[in-house]
Amino acid sequence: AGQLESWEVLDWRQQPRCPFRRSFIPFDPEAVESSGGAAKIARRRRALGIDSIEDPAGEDATVPPLQSFRELKDALPEWLLQALPNPPSPLQAQLLPIMLGGSNAIAVAADIPAGQEALSYLVAAAMQAGDQHGLTEEEPGPVALVLTATQDSAASVATCATGLLRSSGRSGKALRAVNVSGGGSRADKLREMTSCGAHVVIGTPKRIHDLASKYQVCLLRVTLLVLDGVDRMMSLMSEMRDLAKWIRPERQTLLLSRAWGPELEDVASELCLAGGVPAMLSGPPASRGSSFVQRLDRKVKIQKSGS
């Protein structure tokens, strides 16, 4: 799956790829009652400053927000739990369980600087990377691709990722994140990734597009695509479209934005795929009970106060 003659002829209906797991805390409707009922959950969301939840399955079907990361003790490995600060931020409290539930997501929050809520998706990135078979020269990373609007945002996300993944080796698989934007030459960045790539690659759309178009970054294993600060990337829509086409259609996608409007709604509809093409499954399965997600139409949107 790591070999491709040309991005221009990439046909995902013919491209072999392994199934992957993206749902680590499947939502149980009974959790609503065990959390105090829909009215109590709605009050908790309002207290967090969350104005609205738009979920095709209905707001009552959206996993309740966290009060503590320890609520995820049955889903996350201990090394990852220990790396998480408590309590979660308001956006992390609601977004993280949605991500771990496997849904595509949109988070709109005017008061959150790009890159400052990276934990909301880096935990999901760590879980997907840890669940899949290891990176090799034949099947290099990344597993998660994070696009940021600026080099400064990329550096902020990379710092967060490095801290989060520092103890991942305790699980028997050390996970790595590499920022390919800013601070060093292209050759330095490629050496840092190594021939096996990195589990999480972070950078601006222009830099990632340049590397991928020259086959210096392979996107065939990406199962999580994040656009952090998508409202500030609209001038790079051509690059983002290409990158989205070069990533498997049944991926999980997250968009974070400071504002929302019709143009961004169109972008979300285009990038948070409602369908996708059938996969030709091959190679070693994911390490813990693969589940190939069929319900790809669910796209949960969170709107936070001030947005």
Side-chain angles (χ1 to χ4, degrees), residues 1-11 15 215 218 220 246:
Q3 303 297 320
L4 184 68
E5 293 183 2
S6 171
W7 288 121
E8 298 302 320
V9 298
L10 176 60
D11 182 349
Q15 181 65 36
Y215 308 102
C218 179
L220 297 181
W246 298 341

Side-chain angles (χ1 to χ4, degrees), residues 4-87:
L4 184 68
E5 293 183 2
S6 171
W7 288 121
E8 298 302 320
V9 298
L10 176 60
D11 182 349
W12 279 111
R13 290 169 297 184
Q14 302 299 322
Q15 181 65 36
R17 57 202 189 272
C18 296
F20 73 99
R21 184 181 181 189
R22 67 188 238 184
S23 178
F24 294 90
I25 50 169
F27 178 65
D28 180 359
E30 294 182 2
V32 172
E33 293 307 316
S34 64
S35 298
K40 184 174 181 179
I41 292 172
R43 288 194 299 272
R44 192 190 311 169
R45 287 185 176 129
R46 287 195 297 271
L48 292 171
I50 296 172
D51 290 336
S52 64
I53 297 281
E54 298 177 24
D55 188 335
E59 184 174 344
D60 290 350
T62 304
V63 61
L66 301 171
Q67 294 179 302
S68 166
F69 287 123
R70 294 303 303 181
E71 294 174 42
L72 300 173
K73 60 182 176 61
D74 293 331
L76 304 187
E78 187 61 29
W79 70 263
L80 190 50
L81 278 173
Q82 290 181 0
L84 296 173
N86 263 314

Side-chain angles (χ1 to χ4, degrees), residues 13-286:
R13 290 169 297 184
Q14 302 299 322
Q15 181 65 36
R17 57 202 189 272
C18 296
F20 73 99
R21 184 181 181 189
R22 67 188 238 184
S23 178
F24 294 90
I25 50 169
F27 178 65
D28 180 359
E30 294 182 2
V32 172
E33 293 307 316
S34 64
S35 298
K40 184 174 181 179
I41 292 172
R43 288 194 299 272
R44 192 190 311 169
R45 287 185 176 129
R46 287 195 297 271
L48 292 171
I50 296 172
D51 290 336
S52 64
I53 297 281
E54 298 177 24
D55 188 335
E59 184 174 344
D60 290 350
T62 304
V63 61
L66 301 171
Q67 294 179 302
S68 166
F69 287 123
R70 294 303 303 181
E71 294 174 42
L72 300 173
K73 60 182 176 61
D74 293 331
L76 304 187
E78 187 61 29
W79 70 263
L80 190 50
L81 278 173
Q82 290 181 0
L84 296 173
N86 263 314
S89 74
L91 190 58
Q92 291 165 5
Q94 183 60 85
L95 181 56
L96 179 54
I98 289 173
M99 293 297 295
L100 291 175
S103 294
N104 293 325
I106 301 162
V108 185
D111 58 344
I112 304 294
Q116 295 302 305
E117 288 292 340
L119 275 179
S120 300
Y121 53 79
L122 289 173
V123 172
M127 292 298 288
Q128 289 193 22
D131 194 65
Q132 296 182 29
H133 60 284
L135 307 183
T136 64
E137 291 188 7
E138 293 73 27
E139 292 186 284
V143 172
L145 179 64
V146 180
L147 303 180
T148 65
T150 67
Q151 292 183 7
D152 287 345
S153 295
S156 176
V157 173
T159 297
C160 182
T162 300
L164 184 71
L165 302 179
R166 184 172 291 120
S167 299
S168 59
R170 296 180 192 171
S171 66
K173 181 189 292 185
L175 305 178
R176 297 189 306 113
V178 173
N179 172 18
V180 297
S181 290
S185 68
R186 179 191 299 260
D188 290 338
K189 299 296 185 182
L190 294 176
R191 279 194 293 270
E192 187 178 356
M193 279 199 297
T194 77
S195 59
C196 295
H199 299 88
V200 182
V201 167
I202 305 148
T204 61
K206 187 173 182 179
R207 172 56 66 91
I208 297 287
H209 186 276
D210 184 50
L211 291 172
S213 63
K214 295 174 180 175
Y215 308 102
Q216 293 174 320
V217 170
C218 179
L219 303 180
L220 297 181
R221 283 195 64 175
V222 173
T223 57
L224 174 62
L225 172 63
V226 177
L227 288 80
D228 191 342
V230 65
D231 55 309
R232 295 192 288 165
M233 303 184 211
M234 298 303 291
S235 63
L236 298 169
M237 194 61 212
S238 176
E239 286 86 347
M240 289 192 291
R241 281 196 180 99
D242 281 347
L243 291 169
K245 285 189 299 185
W246 298 341
I247 298 172
R248 57 197 296 170
E250 74 278 14
R251 65 180 180 261
Q252 185 177 17
T253 305
L254 168 65
L255 277 60
L256 293 101
S257 179
R258 298 175 303 174
W260 202 250
E263 187 177 12
L264 285 162
E265 188 68 50
D266 291 342
V267 171
S269 297
E270 185 174 348
L271 299 184
C272 296
L273 298 181
V277 295
M280 293 177 59
L281 307 180
S282 69

